[in-house]
Amino acid sequence: MSFNNILKAIPTSTNKELNDKLAEFAEFIDIYENAESNKIIISCLKEKEFNSEELELLLPISKSSTELSNKITPSDIKKSNGYDSNKAIKYAKQWWNRTNNTDFPYYANYYKQDLNSNDYNDLDENAKGQSAIRRGWSDCTNFVSQCLSYGGFKYRKSGLFVPHRQSKNWYYDNGKLSHTWGGANNFYQHWKSRAGIAKTSDLLTAGDVISVDFTKDGDIDHTAIITSNINNTNESKLLTQHSIDRSEFLPTGDYFSLAYLYSQDYKIYGYEMDKAPVK
């Protein structure tokens, strides 16, 4: 969509703050790669009334990413805030290639899969242990949220009007969980405020979490947790994730590390979880 066509598609408003946001939006939407999101944004803006927070979630993110750093910082400088990273890591390694439908059945129920089975996974193609029935949904963020919950982070839920859509909230509920629990971009919106974005990769250690923008289009695509950190180098900060299900190793046998993701030229947004309030 050309810049001029964008301006024609966006309604004007008597609200100066809103107009400034629309103008900013018009400047970068022509290079924003997510066509489906663009359609929703334009449709949203054409409505006389809309939720400004929901619009914000659709726009490309502008927060500075976590820059690659090869500096080695002692990992013992971390301060405890009540988050037990060992419990989060233990949970990640226990469930990395399975689905915990016992404690968190929402997605299996939504996609009409058997709630009595925890064997669904989404391993690399032809990997040993692939279940007959794949998971059926993108589970990376849901999985990391479970890890954080087991590590001690408490749910946040407030507001009577569609609380599940609000980025300030983060919670699981069998009936309707928050978008920040299972959506990669929404998860980023919550944790960038709750924990902040680490300036450099040397600040991250085991138990910390990353969001990944694969295409550098300003839209978060993936979430993973660091489950090992032997000597605090990027090569030793090993990752565990769902969709594709991996725990610290690639199909080649190489380490699945923070260094590997940086080598792919992805944008990384890391969270120092010891800096986030658990409640």
Side-chain angles (χ1 to χ4, degrees):
M1 180 182 287
S2 71
F3 184 80
N4 287 334
N5 286 337
I6 293 168
L7 291 177
K8 291 177 183 178
I10 298 175
T12 56
S13 168
T14 56
N15 185 319
K16 184 181 183 302
E17 183 179 354
L18 174 58
N19 281 338
D20 290 342
K21 278 186 174 291
L22 298 181
E24 182 183 7
F25 160 71
E27 289 176 2
F28 57 61
I29 193 174
D30 56 332
I31 59 172
Y32 183 43
E33 299 172 1
N34 295 284
E36 290 305 312
S37 293
N38 291 347
K39 292 177 184 177
I40 298 172
I41 292 168
I42 295 298
S43 175
C44 179
L45 289 170
K46 285 182 177 178
E47 297 294 328
K48 292 182 179 179
E49 295 182 2
F50 57 85
N51 186 311
S52 59
E53 184 174 0
E54 289 185 33
L55 172 61
E56 192 73 24
L57 290 173
L58 290 167
L59 298 178
I61 62 178
S62 57
K63 185 81 173 180
S64 297
S65 60
T66 301
E67 296 299 321
L68 175 65
S69 169
N70 291 314
K71 178 182 176 182
I72 299 177
T73 304
S75 58
D76 60 0
I77 64 171
K78 293 282 185 179
K79 296 181 180 179
S80 175
N81 59 342
Y83 170 56
D84 191 331
S85 59
N86 289 325
K87 286 185 178 179
I89 291 167
K90 182 179 179 180
Y91 182 90
K93 291 186 175 182
Q94 177 183 355
W95 290 99
W96 77 270
N97 63 345
R98 295 190 300 148
T99 307
N100 186 356
N101 291 329
T102 302
D103 297 325
F104 303 97
Y106 177 85
Y107 285 106
N109 184 53
Y110 184 86
Y111 287 96
K112 298 180 170 42
Q113 293 191 337
D114 183 5
L115 296 180
N116 296 315
S117 175
N118 290 326
D119 293 332
Y120 305 134
N121 58 34
D122 185 21
L123 302 172
D124 290 284
E125 193 167 350
N126 298 321
K128 183 179 180 181
Q130 178 64 64
S131 62
I133 302 175
R134 290 203 159 191
R135 191 171 287 117
W137 63 87
S138 179
D139 196 58
C140 63
T141 307
N142 174 40
F143 172 66
V144 170
S145 285
Q146 291 175 25
C147 295
L148 294 180
S149 178
Y150 266 76
F153 278 102
K154 305 303 181 185
Y155 295 168
R156 285 187 175 181
K157 183 178 182 181
S158 64
L160 299 176
F161 181 69
V162 290
H164 61 284
R165 296 184 183 180
Q166 298 179 32
S167 60
K168 67 180 180 181
N169 292 330
W170 174 81
Y171 62 89
Y172 177 85
D173 187 291
N174 286 340
K176 177 69 73 173
L177 45 72
S178 68
H179 289 178
T180 57
W181 181 275
N185 208 54
N186 303 77
F187 181 95
Y188 161 85
Q189 294 291 344
H190 178 80
W191 289 100
K192 75 178 176 65
S193 297
R194 188 167 175 177
I197 304 297
K199 290 184 177 180
T200 53
S201 61
D202 60 279
L203 298 174
L204 302 175
T205 191
D208 287 340
V209 168
I210 61 167
S211 291
V212 187
D213 181 356
F214 291 136
T215 57
K216 294 184 174 180
D217 63 357
D219 190 56
I220 299 298
D221 304 296
H222 185 58
T223 315
I225 184 170
I226 301 172
T227 50
S228 184
N229 182 20
I230 298 171
N231 55 26
N232 214 43
T233 64
N234 294 315
E235 289 76 16
S236 73
K237 295 173 184 179
L238 307 184
L239 303 165
T240 296
Q241 66 175 36
H242 272 188
S243 307
I244 298 169
D245 296 4
R246 289 178 180 152
S247 184
E248 303 188 350
F249 288 92
L250 295 165
T252 59
D254 296 321
Y255 287 126
F256 180 42
S257 66
L258 200 57
Y260 169 78
L261 291 187
Y262 275 109
S263 74
Q264 303 303 302
D265 200 29
Y266 301 146
K267 257 198 168 178
I268 309 296
Y269 299 83
Y271 313 98
E272 296 178 85
M273 303 313 298
D274 67 311
K275 291 187 175 180
V278 294
K279 294 183 179 180

PDB file of all heavy atoms in Angstrom, residues 222-250:
ATOM      1  N   HIS A 222       8.047 -15.394  18.214  1.00  0.00           N
ATOM      2  CA  HIS A 222       8.410 -16.592  18.957  1.00  0.00           C
ATOM      3  C   HIS A 222       8.851 -16.244  20.379  1.00  0.00           C
ATOM      4  O   HIS A 222       9.282 -15.122  20.655  1.00  0.00           O
ATOM      5  CB  HIS A 222       9.564 -17.299  18.214  1.00  0.00           C
ATOM      6  CG  HIS A 222       9.954 -18.616  18.799  1.00  0.00           C
ATOM      7  ND1 HIS A 222       9.073 -19.657  18.950  1.00  0.00           N
ATOM      8  CD2 HIS A 222      11.151 -19.072  19.268  1.00  0.00           C
ATOM      9  CE1 HIS A 222       9.699 -20.686  19.480  1.00  0.00           C
ATOM     10  NE2 HIS A 222      10.962 -20.359  19.690  1.00  0.00           N
ATOM     11  N   THR A 223       8.726 -17.247  21.277  1.00  0.00           N
ATOM     12  CA  THR A 223       9.135 -17.097  22.666  1.00  0.00           C
ATOM     13  C   THR A 223       9.872 -18.358  23.106  1.00  0.00           C
ATOM     14  O   THR A 223       9.467 -19.466  22.753  1.00  0.00           O
ATOM     15  CB  THR A 223       7.906 -16.896  23.584  1.00  0.00           C
ATOM     16  OG1 THR A 223       7.005 -15.940  22.994  1.00  0.00           O
ATOM     17  CG2 THR A 223       8.318 -16.408  24.957  1.00  0.00           C
ATOM     18  N   ALA A 224      10.961 -18.206  23.855  1.00  0.00           N
ATOM     19  CA  ALA A 224      11.729 -19.350  24.347  1.00  0.00           C
ATOM     20  C   ALA A 224      12.328 -19.015  25.704  1.00  0.00           C
ATOM     21  O   ALA A 224      12.384 -17.845  26.108  1.00  0.00           O
ATOM     22  CB  ALA A 224      12.832 -19.726  23.354  1.00  0.00           C
ATOM     23  N   ILE A 225      12.794 -20.048  26.409  1.00  0.00           N
ATOM     24  CA  ILE A 225      13.386 -19.858  27.731  1.00  0.00           C
ATOM     25  C   ILE A 225      14.810 -20.411  27.742  1.00  0.00           C
ATOM     26  O   ILE A 225      15.099 -21.439  27.126  1.00  0.00           O
ATOM     27  CB  ILE A 225      12.515 -20.531  28.823  1.00  0.00           C
ATOM     28  CG1 ILE A 225      13.094 -20.249  30.218  1.00  0.00           C
ATOM     29  CG2 ILE A 225      12.349 -22.026  28.582  1.00  0.00           C
ATOM     30  CD1 ILE A 225      12.157 -20.666  31.360  1.00  0.00           C
ATOM     31  N   ILE A 226      15.711 -19.718  28.422  1.00  0.00           N
ATOM     32  CA  ILE A 226      17.082 -20.181  28.576  1.00  0.00           C
ATOM     33  C   ILE A 226      17.119 -21.194  29.716  1.00  0.00           C
ATOM     34  O   ILE A 226      16.727 -20.880  30.847  1.00  0.00           O
ATOM     35  CB  ILE A 226      18.037 -19.001  28.895  1.00  0.00           C
ATOM     36  CG1 ILE A 226      17.978 -17.952  27.784  1.00  0.00           C
ATOM     37  CG2 ILE A 226      19.470 -19.510  29.079  1.00  0.00           C
ATOM     38  CD1 ILE A 226      18.747 -16.673  28.100  1.00  0.00           C
ATOM     39  N   THR A 227      17.558 -22.413  29.428  1.00  0.00           N
ATOM     40  CA  THR A 227      17.521 -23.470  30.445  1.00  0.00           C
ATOM     41  C   THR A 227      18.901 -23.958  30.873  1.00  0.00           C
ATOM     42  O   THR A 227      19.005 -24.864  31.697  1.00  0.00           O
ATOM     43  CB  THR A 227      16.687 -24.667  29.938  1.00  0.00           C
ATOM     44  OG1 THR A 227      17.137 -25.047  28.627  1.00  0.00           O
ATOM     45  CG2 THR A 227      15.213 -24.309  29.882  1.00  0.00           C
ATOM     46  N   SER A 228      19.963 -23.399  30.307  1.00  0.00           N
ATOM     47  CA  SER A 228      21.311 -23.775  30.716  1.00  0.00           C
ATOM     48  C   SER A 228      22.260 -22.612  30.465  1.00  0.00           C
ATOM     49  O   SER A 228      22.097 -21.869  29.504  1.00  0.00           O
ATOM     50  CB  SER A 228      21.783 -25.019  29.949  1.00  0.00           C
ATOM     51  OG  SER A 228      23.055 -25.439  30.404  1.00  0.00           O
ATOM     52  N   ASN A 229      23.234 -22.462  31.339  1.00  0.00           N
ATOM     53  CA  ASN A 229      24.217 -21.390  31.194  1.00  0.00           C
ATOM     54  C   ASN A 229      25.478 -21.797  31.956  1.00  0.00           C
ATOM     55  O   ASN A 229      25.640 -21.463  33.117  1.00  0.00           O
ATOM     56  CB  ASN A 229      23.656 -20.072  31.727  1.00  0.00           C
ATOM     57  CG  ASN A 229      24.632 -18.919  31.545  1.00  0.00           C
ATOM     58  OD1 ASN A 229      25.539 -18.983  30.728  1.00  0.00           O
ATOM     59  ND2 ASN A 229      24.447 -17.867  32.325  1.00  0.00           N
ATOM     60  N   ILE A 230      26.356 -22.519  31.287  1.00  0.00           N
ATOM     61  CA  ILE A 230      27.519 -23.096  31.959  1.00  0.00           C
ATOM     62  C   ILE A 230      28.559 -22.039  32.302  1.00  0.00           C
ATOM     63  O   ILE A 230      29.054 -21.973  33.427  1.00  0.00           O
ATOM     64  CB  ILE A 230      28.142 -24.206  31.089  1.00  0.00           C
ATOM     65  CG1 ILE A 230      27.130 -25.339  30.888  1.00  0.00           C
ATOM     66  CG2 ILE A 230      29.420 -24.747  31.729  1.00  0.00           C
ATOM     67  CD1 ILE A 230      27.562 -26.378  29.879  1.00  0.00           C
ATOM     68  N   ASN A 231      28.930 -21.209  31.339  1.00  0.00           N
ATOM     69  CA  ASN A 231      29.995 -20.226  31.597  1.00  0.00           C
ATOM     70  C   ASN A 231      29.621 -18.806  31.199  1.00  0.00           C
ATOM     71  O   ASN A 231      30.474 -17.946  31.043  1.00  0.00           O
ATOM     72  CB  ASN A 231      31.283 -20.646  30.885  1.00  0.00           C
ATOM     73  CG  ASN A 231      31.080 -20.862  29.391  1.00  0.00           C
ATOM     74  OD1 ASN A 231      30.177 -20.276  28.790  1.00  0.00           O
ATOM     75  ND2 ASN A 231      31.899 -21.701  28.799  1.00  0.00           N
ATOM     76  N   ASN A 232      28.319 -18.577  31.023  1.00  0.00           N
ATOM     77  CA  ASN A 232      27.780 -17.239  30.767  1.00  0.00           C
ATOM     78  C   ASN A 232      28.219 -16.637  29.428  1.00  0.00           C
ATOM     79  O   ASN A 232      28.257 -15.427  29.271  1.00  0.00           O
ATOM     80  CB  ASN A 232      28.106 -16.269  31.904  1.00  0.00           C
ATOM     81  CG  ASN A 232      26.987 -15.249  32.108  1.00  0.00           C
ATOM     82  OD1 ASN A 232      25.815 -15.590  32.083  1.00  0.00           O
ATOM     83  ND2 ASN A 232      27.349 -13.985  32.280  1.00  0.00           N
ATOM     84  N   THR A 233      28.533 -17.485  28.471  1.00  0.00           N
ATOM     85  CA  THR A 233      28.762 -17.022  27.098  1.00  0.00           C
ATOM     86  C   THR A 233      27.484 -17.247  26.306  1.00  0.00           C
ATOM     87  O   THR A 233      26.638 -18.064  26.686  1.00  0.00           O
ATOM     88  CB  THR A 233      29.911 -17.799  26.432  1.00  0.00           C
ATOM     89  OG1 THR A 233      29.527 -19.183  26.331  1.00  0.00           O
ATOM     90  CG2 THR A 233      31.193 -17.665  27.221  1.00  0.00           C
ATOM     91  N   ASN A 234      27.335 -16.531  25.207  1.00  0.00           N
ATOM     92  CA  ASN A 234      26.147 -16.719  24.370  1.00  0.00           C
ATOM     93  C   ASN A 234      26.064 -18.143  23.840  1.00  0.00           C
ATOM     94  O   ASN A 234      24.978 -18.672  23.625  1.00  0.00           O
ATOM     95  CB  ASN A 234      26.175 -15.727  23.204  1.00  0.00           C
ATOM     96  CG  ASN A 234      26.035 -14.298  23.673  1.00  0.00           C
ATOM     97  OD1 ASN A 234      25.197 -13.994  24.512  1.00  0.00           O
ATOM     98  ND2 ASN A 234      26.876 -13.409  23.156  1.00  0.00           N
ATOM     99  N   GLU A 235      27.211 -18.777  23.629  1.00  0.00           N
ATOM    100  CA  GLU A 235      27.239 -20.153  23.136  1.00  0.00           C
ATOM    101  C   GLU A 235      26.746 -21.144  24.182  1.00  0.00           C
ATOM    102  O   GLU A 235      26.246 -22.225  23.837  1.00  0.00           O
ATOM    103  CB  GLU A 235      28.673 -20.530  22.713  1.00  0.00           C
ATOM    104  CG  GLU A 235      29.167 -19.845  21.456  1.00  0.00           C
ATOM    105  CD  GLU A 235      29.550 -18.392  21.679  1.00  0.00           C
ATOM    106  OE1 GLU A 235      29.721 -17.984  22.853  1.00  0.00           O
ATOM    107  OE2 GLU A 235      29.682 -17.648  20.681  1.00  0.00           O
ATOM    108  N   SER A 236      26.896 -20.795  25.463  1.00  0.00           N
ATOM    109  CA  SER A 236      26.502 -21.716  26.532  1.00  0.00           C
ATOM    110  C   SER A 236      25.089 -21.462  27.050  1.00  0.00           C
ATOM    111  O   SER A 236      24.574 -22.237  27.855  1.00  0.00           O
ATOM    112  CB  SER A 236      27.482 -21.618  27.708  1.00  0.00           C
ATOM    113  OG  SER A 236      27.294 -20.418  28.430  1.00  0.00           O
ATOM    114  N   LYS A 237      24.462 -20.389  26.591  1.00  0.00           N
ATOM    115  CA  LYS A 237      23.086 -20.086  27.004  1.00  0.00           C
ATOM    116  C   LYS A 237      22.151 -20.859  26.094  1.00  0.00           C
ATOM    117  O   LYS A 237      21.804 -20.414  25.001  1.00  0.00           O
ATOM    118  CB  LYS A 237      22.830 -18.579  26.955  1.00  0.00           C
ATOM    119  CG  LYS A 237      23.684 -17.828  27.973  1.00  0.00           C
ATOM    120  CD  LYS A 237      23.572 -16.328  27.842  1.00  0.00           C
ATOM    121  CE  LYS A 237      24.530 -15.646  28.818  1.00  0.00           C
ATOM    122  NZ  LYS A 237      24.514 -14.190  28.737  1.00  0.00           N
ATOM    123  N   LEU A 238      21.760 -22.045  26.558  1.00  0.00           N
ATOM    124  CA  LEU A 238      20.992 -22.967  25.733  1.00  0.00           C
ATOM    125  C   LEU A 238      19.495 -22.782  25.943  1.00  0.00           C
ATOM    126  O   LEU A 238      19.043 -22.485  27.055  1.00  0.00           O
ATOM    127  CB  LEU A 238      21.404 -24.409  26.042  1.00  0.00           C
ATOM    128  CG  LEU A 238      22.911 -24.690  25.957  1.00  0.00           C
ATOM    129  CD1 LEU A 238      23.175 -26.173  26.197  1.00  0.00           C
ATOM    130  CD2 LEU A 238      23.483 -24.242  24.615  1.00  0.00           C
ATOM    131  N   LEU A 239      18.736 -22.981  24.874  1.00  0.00           N
ATOM    132  CA  LEU A 239      17.311 -22.658  24.858  1.00  0.00           C
ATOM    133  C   LEU A 239      16.428 -23.892  24.812  1.00  0.00           C
ATOM    134  O   LEU A 239      16.806 -24.926  24.240  1.00  0.00           O
ATOM    135  CB  LEU A 239      17.005 -21.786  23.633  1.00  0.00           C
ATOM    136  CG  LEU A 239      17.808 -20.494  23.523  1.00  0.00           C
ATOM    137  CD1 LEU A 239      17.685 -19.918  22.122  1.00  0.00           C
ATOM    138  CD2 LEU A 239      17.340 -19.489  24.565  1.00  0.00           C
ATOM    139  N   THR A 240      15.256 -23.752  25.402  1.00  0.00           N
ATOM    140  CA  THR A 240      14.221 -24.786  25.315  1.00  0.00           C
ATOM    141  C   THR A 240      12.944 -24.105  24.853  1.00  0.00           C
ATOM    142  O   THR A 240      12.646 -22.976  25.268  1.00  0.00           O
ATOM    143  CB  THR A 240      14.023 -25.482  26.669  1.00  0.00           C
ATOM    144  OG1 THR A 240      15.234 -26.171  27.019  1.00  0.00           O
ATOM    145  CG2 THR A 240      12.885 -26.491  26.614  1.00  0.00           C
ATOM    146  N   GLN A 241      12.182 -24.807  23.996  1.00  0.00           N
ATOM    147  CA  GLN A 241      10.994 -24.179  23.406  1.00  0.00           C
ATOM    148  C   GLN A 241      10.000 -25.236  22.931  1.00  0.00           C
ATOM    149  O   GLN A 241      10.305 -26.424  22.844  1.00  0.00           O
ATOM    150  CB  GLN A 241      11.409 -23.341  22.195  1.00  0.00           C
ATOM    151  CG  GLN A 241      11.950 -24.196  21.036  1.00  0.00           C
ATOM    152  CD  GLN A 241      12.249 -23.399  19.787  1.00  0.00           C
ATOM    153  OE1 GLN A 241      12.700 -22.275  19.851  1.00  0.00           O
ATOM    154  NE2 GLN A 241      12.009 -24.001  18.631  1.00  0.00           N
ATOM    155  N   HIS A 242       8.822 -24.771  22.638  1.00  0.00           N
ATOM    156  CA  HIS A 242       7.813 -25.537  21.904  1.00  0.00           C
ATOM    157  C   HIS A 242       7.637 -24.922  20.524  1.00  0.00           C
ATOM    158  O   HIS A 242       7.907 -23.741  20.312  1.00  0.00           O
ATOM    159  CB  HIS A 242       6.467 -25.513  22.637  1.00  0.00           C
ATOM    160  CG  HIS A 242       6.323 -26.611  23.636  1.00  0.00           C
ATOM    161  ND1 HIS A 242       5.138 -26.884  24.292  1.00  0.00           N
ATOM    162  CD2 HIS A 242       7.213 -27.530  24.102  1.00  0.00           C
ATOM    163  CE1 HIS A 242       5.291 -27.910  25.113  1.00  0.00           C
ATOM    164  NE2 HIS A 242       6.558 -28.313  25.024  1.00  0.00           N
ATOM    165  N   SER A 243       7.147 -25.736  19.631  1.00  0.00           N
ATOM    166  CA  SER A 243       6.772 -25.308  18.265  1.00  0.00           C
ATOM    167  C   SER A 243       7.900 -24.551  17.572  1.00  0.00           C
ATOM    168  O   SER A 243       7.813 -23.360  17.377  1.00  0.00           O
ATOM    169  CB  SER A 243       5.517 -24.437  18.290  1.00  0.00           C
ATOM    170  OG  SER A 243       4.469 -25.078  18.984  1.00  0.00           O
ATOM    171  N   ILE A 244       8.912 -25.195  17.144  1.00  0.00           N
ATOM    172  CA  ILE A 244       9.257 -26.607  17.115  1.00  0.00           C
ATOM    173  C   ILE A 244       9.805 -26.995  18.494  1.00  0.00           C
ATOM    174  O   ILE A 244      10.569 -26.249  19.084  1.00  0.00           O
ATOM    175  CB  ILE A 244      10.310 -26.872  16.019  1.00  0.00           C
ATOM    176  CG1 ILE A 244       9.722 -26.499  14.659  1.00  0.00           C
ATOM    177  CG2 ILE A 244      10.815 -28.278  16.037  1.00  0.00           C
ATOM    178  CD1 ILE A 244      10.753 -26.459  13.546  1.00  0.00           C
ATOM    179  N   ASP A 245       9.438 -28.201  18.981  1.00  0.00           N
ATOM    180  CA  ASP A 245       9.869 -28.622  20.303  1.00  0.00           C
ATOM    181  C   ASP A 245      11.355 -28.960  20.295  1.00  0.00           C
ATOM    182  O   ASP A 245      11.802 -29.882  19.593  1.00  0.00           O
ATOM    183  CB  ASP A 245       9.068 -29.848  20.742  1.00  0.00           C
ATOM    184  CG  ASP A 245       7.584 -29.545  20.905  1.00  0.00           C
ATOM    185  OD1 ASP A 245       7.174 -28.416  20.612  1.00  0.00           O
ATOM    186  OD2 ASP A 245       6.841 -30.462  21.318  1.00  0.00           O
ATOM    187  N   ARG A 246      12.112 -28.214  21.074  1.00  0.00           N
ATOM    188  CA  ARG A 246      13.551 -28.451  21.182  1.00  0.00           C
ATOM    189  C   ARG A 246      13.999 -28.153  22.607  1.00  0.00           C
ATOM    190  O   ARG A 246      13.480 -27.249  23.250  1.00  0.00           O
ATOM    191  CB  ARG A 246      14.342 -27.533  20.237  1.00  0.00           C
ATOM    192  CG  ARG A 246      14.211 -27.870  18.770  1.00  0.00           C
ATOM    193  CD  ARG A 246      14.989 -26.887  17.924  1.00  0.00           C
ATOM    194  NE  ARG A 246      14.861 -27.209  16.499  1.00  0.00           N
ATOM    195  CZ  ARG A 246      14.950 -26.325  15.535  1.00  0.00           C
ATOM    196  NH1 ARG A 246      15.149 -25.048  15.825  1.00  0.00           N
ATOM    197  NH2 ARG A 246      14.837 -26.678  14.267  1.00  0.00           N
ATOM    198  N   SER A 247      15.004 -28.901  23.051  1.00  0.00           N
ATOM    199  CA  SER A 247      15.605 -28.634  24.345  1.00  0.00           C
ATOM    200  C   SER A 247      17.119 -28.684  24.217  1.00  0.00           C
ATOM    201  O   SER A 247      17.726 -29.760  24.232  1.00  0.00           O
ATOM    202  CB  SER A 247      15.136 -29.638  25.399  1.00  0.00           C
ATOM    203  OG  SER A 247      15.656 -29.295  26.677  1.00  0.00           O
ATOM    204  N   GLU A 248      17.703 -27.529  23.999  1.00  0.00           N
ATOM    205  CA  GLU A 248      19.140 -27.285  24.057  1.00  0.00           C
ATOM    206  C   GLU A 248      19.954 -27.823  22.878  1.00  0.00           C
ATOM    207  O   GLU A 248      21.140 -27.515  22.770  1.00  0.00           O
ATOM    208  CB  GLU A 248      19.707 -27.809  25.386  1.00  0.00           C
ATOM    209  CG  GLU A 248      19.013 -27.178  26.596  1.00  0.00           C
ATOM    210  CD  GLU A 248      19.656 -27.500  27.926  1.00  0.00           C
ATOM    211  OE1 GLU A 248      20.547 -28.384  27.965  1.00  0.00           O
ATOM    212  OE2 GLU A 248      19.274 -26.879  28.941  1.00  0.00           O
ATOM    213  N   PHE A 249      19.325 -28.617  21.995  1.00  0.00           N
ATOM    214  CA  PHE A 249      20.068 -29.135  20.849  1.00  0.00           C
ATOM    215  C   PHE A 249      19.272 -28.978  19.560  1.00  0.00           C
ATOM    216  O   PHE A 249      18.040 -29.056  19.551  1.00  0.00           O
ATOM    217  CB  PHE A 249      20.414 -30.619  21.045  1.00  0.00           C
ATOM    218  CG  PHE A 249      21.476 -30.861  22.082  1.00  0.00           C
ATOM    219  CD1 PHE A 249      21.117 -31.110  23.401  1.00  0.00           C
ATOM    220  CD2 PHE A 249      22.823 -30.819  21.747  1.00  0.00           C
ATOM    221  CE1 PHE A 249      22.089 -31.318  24.367  1.00  0.00           C
ATOM    222  CE2 PHE A 249      23.804 -31.032  22.708  1.00  0.00           C
ATOM    223  CZ  PHE A 249      23.431 -31.288  24.020  1.00  0.00           C
ATOM    224  N   LEU A 250      19.990 -28.761  18.462  1.00  0.00           N
ATOM    225  CA  LEU A 250      19.418 -28.717  17.120  1.00  0.00           C
ATOM    226  C   LEU A 250      19.447 -30.120  16.526  1.00  0.00           C
ATOM    227  O   LEU A 250      20.160 -31.004  17.031  1.00  0.00           O
ATOM    228  CB  LEU A 250      20.225 -27.761  16.244  1.00  0.00           C
ATOM    229  CG  LEU A 250      20.195 -26.285  16.657  1.00  0.00           C
ATOM    230  CD1 LEU A 250      21.301 -25.511  15.948  1.00  0.00           C
ATOM    231  CD2 LEU A 250      18.837 -25.678  16.372  1.00  0.00           C
TER     232      LEU A 250
END
